[in-house]
Amino acid sequence: AYIGAHAGAAWGDVDATLTSISGSYETSGWLAGAQAGWNLQNDALVLGIVVDASFADVDGNCMFDPGPPQRFLDTNYDFLSTARVRLGWASDAFLIYGTGGLALGSADSSRSLPAADTSDLLVGFAVGAGFELAVGEQWSLQVEYLHRDLGNQALDNYDLDHTVDTLTAGFNFAL
């Protein structure tokens, strides 16, 4: 078992649809949080589970409809989390792995005219890969990329489809 912390960059897209009008806008920002997990190793094969939770400040906006009236859309994520399995290969102090599982994200989205907003906990999936390097008996450093598809969110009569990618660096302490 292990616990650790991570921080990194986040970016993504929100695809918006309103009847016959569609468009997308980019989001970007940062995240920082903690993870806990457990690994089982058989020779070089490593199978594990990991749960993470991150505070985030990832946002984006666009002029969706030049109008008149002009309509602006805005989205902000302030919390991202996953529960995943890891499957990897270890050699000496190095582990490379693929990962996938459940993804959660807190999305606050709004429209300017007429004013509307919604805050939802979105549920989707995450897939990615990473590597860890052991640095001593109980410590390891890790770098991980994750793609999260957080699904759809309804904002009045708009349909918003959310994806968030993250690249984090962190450390773990073996218990």
Side-chain angles (χ1 to χ4, degrees):
Y2 61 90
I3 58 172
H6 61 269
W11 65 95
D13 290 303
V14 178
D15 295 324
T17 305
L18 170 65
T19 30
S20 62
I21 302 171
S22 64
S24 68
Y25 54 99
E26 296 179 354
T27 59
S28 62
W30 61 268
L31 74 159
Q35 67 269 355
W38 174 79
N39 290 327
L40 176 64
Q41 185 169 350
N42 184 5
D43 293 324
L45 184 66
V46 176
L47 177 64
I49 57 173
V50 62
V51 176
D52 64 63
S54 303
F55 292 106
D57 186 13
V58 181
D59 58 10
N61 59 59
C62 74
M63 180 173 30
F64 183 73
D65 183 1
Q70 292 181 336
R71 291 186 184 104
F72 293 88
L73 296 177
D74 180 77
T75 296
N76 178 269
Y77 308 98
D78 58 11
F79 177 78
L80 297 168
S81 182
T82 67
R84 299 172 279 123
V85 296
R86 299 193 321 170
L87 180 61
W89 177 78
S91 175
D92 294 324
F94 188 76
L95 168 66
I96 186 167
Y97 62 89
T99 184
L102 178 72
L104 303 172
S106 174
D108 301 322
S109 296
S110 62
R111 179 189 65 211
S112 60
L113 290 174
D117 59 58
T118 185
S119 295
D120 297 297
L121 181 62
L122 304 178
V123 178
F125 67 90
V127 293
F131 65 88
E132 275 189 67
L133 177 65
V135 287
E137 286 291 315
Q138 293 181 287
W139 294 95
S140 67
L141 302 175
Q142 82 174 37
V143 174
E144 184 174 76
Y145 165 79
L146 289 176
H147 172 78
R148 294 167 171 88
D149 185 327
L150 296 174
N152 292 336
Q153 180 184 38
L155 173 63
D156 198 16
N157 51 353
Y158 288 76
D159 180 46
L160 306 177
D161 185 35
H162 298 266
T163 59
V164 178
D165 296 284
T166 59
L167 181 62
T168 58
F171 64 87
N172 292 313
F173 178 77
L175 301 173

